[in-house]
Amino acid sequence: MKNNSVTPALVFLIADIAVGVAFILLPPLVISFLLLLKDIFGVLVLPFTFLFGLAGWSSDMSSLDSVMGGLTPNVTHHPFQAISAAGLLAVSGLCSVLAYAAPYGARVERGLAPVFTALAMVLGGLELSFILLPGLIIQLYALRRPEMDFLSRKK
């Protein structure tokens, strides 16, 4: 039997996984952009820094340093861990969609989706775990009700 309608649980699950992937991949991207911006501004300001130094003034890029200092310090230290967590979340979302397409046939995908999500939660840390917890609950509840229509009364 094939499922042709989209349930709110599936929409929420896919949105939750998308927010999790964005939570993993956006901070390293923003920090990389800020590092590039700092280097470019450092080169552009270099002649003026030299002239102001001759005049006795000191200039530094403290505003950009303070912005970068406020971000998570170890975001760029473990890129493989972040990429692995994002990949696991993508595979988990794919397994959930495939399991939803054939509610009573895709038992392997339905069983593997929460496993991949749990592994991504372990790799991503405590903050990511709080974001992905509702999605994991939906995936675990889908093991019991494969059609993912949690609002209907029929069982």
Side-chain angles (χ1 to χ4, degrees):
M1 186 167 135
K2 191 171 182 171
N3 229 351
N4 290 329
S5 64
V6 177
T7 62
L10 181 67
V11 172
F12 184 78
L13 177 66
I14 297 302
D16 188 45
I17 289 175
V19 167
V21 170
F23 182 79
I24 293 170
L25 295 181
L26 281 180
L29 186 67
V30 169
I31 287 180
S32 300
F33 178 71
L34 287 176
L35 285 172
L36 180 66
L37 195 64
K38 181 181 175 185
D39 290 341
I40 289 173
F41 280 145
V43 170
L44 290 176
V45 176
L46 188 61
F48 301 108
T49 305
F50 178 69
L51 290 175
F52 289 145
L54 289 176
W57 293 0
S58 66
S59 68
D60 58 355
M61 300 182 70
S62 61
S63 60
L64 194 56
D65 287 337
S66 66
V67 168
M68 290 182 55
L71 296 174
T72 309
N74 64 356
V75 169
T76 57
H77 294 266
H78 305 289
F80 180 72
Q81 187 175 358
I83 291 172
S84 299
L88 284 170
L89 279 178
V91 171
S92 170
L94 180 67
C95 286
S96 294
V97 169
L98 289 176
Y100 176 75
Y104 296 105
R107 295 175 193 253
V108 174
E109 289 89 353
R110 191 174 303 106
L112 285 177
V115 172
F116 287 139
T117 303
L119 285 174
M121 289 167 79
V122 168
L123 284 175
L126 188 63
E127 297 89 5
L128 182 66
S129 299
F130 285 133
I131 291 174
L132 294 177
L133 189 62
L136 181 67
I137 290 170
I138 290 174
Q139 287 175 339
L140 290 174
Y141 196 66
L143 292 172
R144 185 171 183 172
R145 302 218 25 208
E147 67 277 357
M148 291 181 80
D149 190 14
F150 305 137
L151 301 176
S152 69
R153 298 251 183 224
K154 64 179 183 175
K155 294 203 179 198

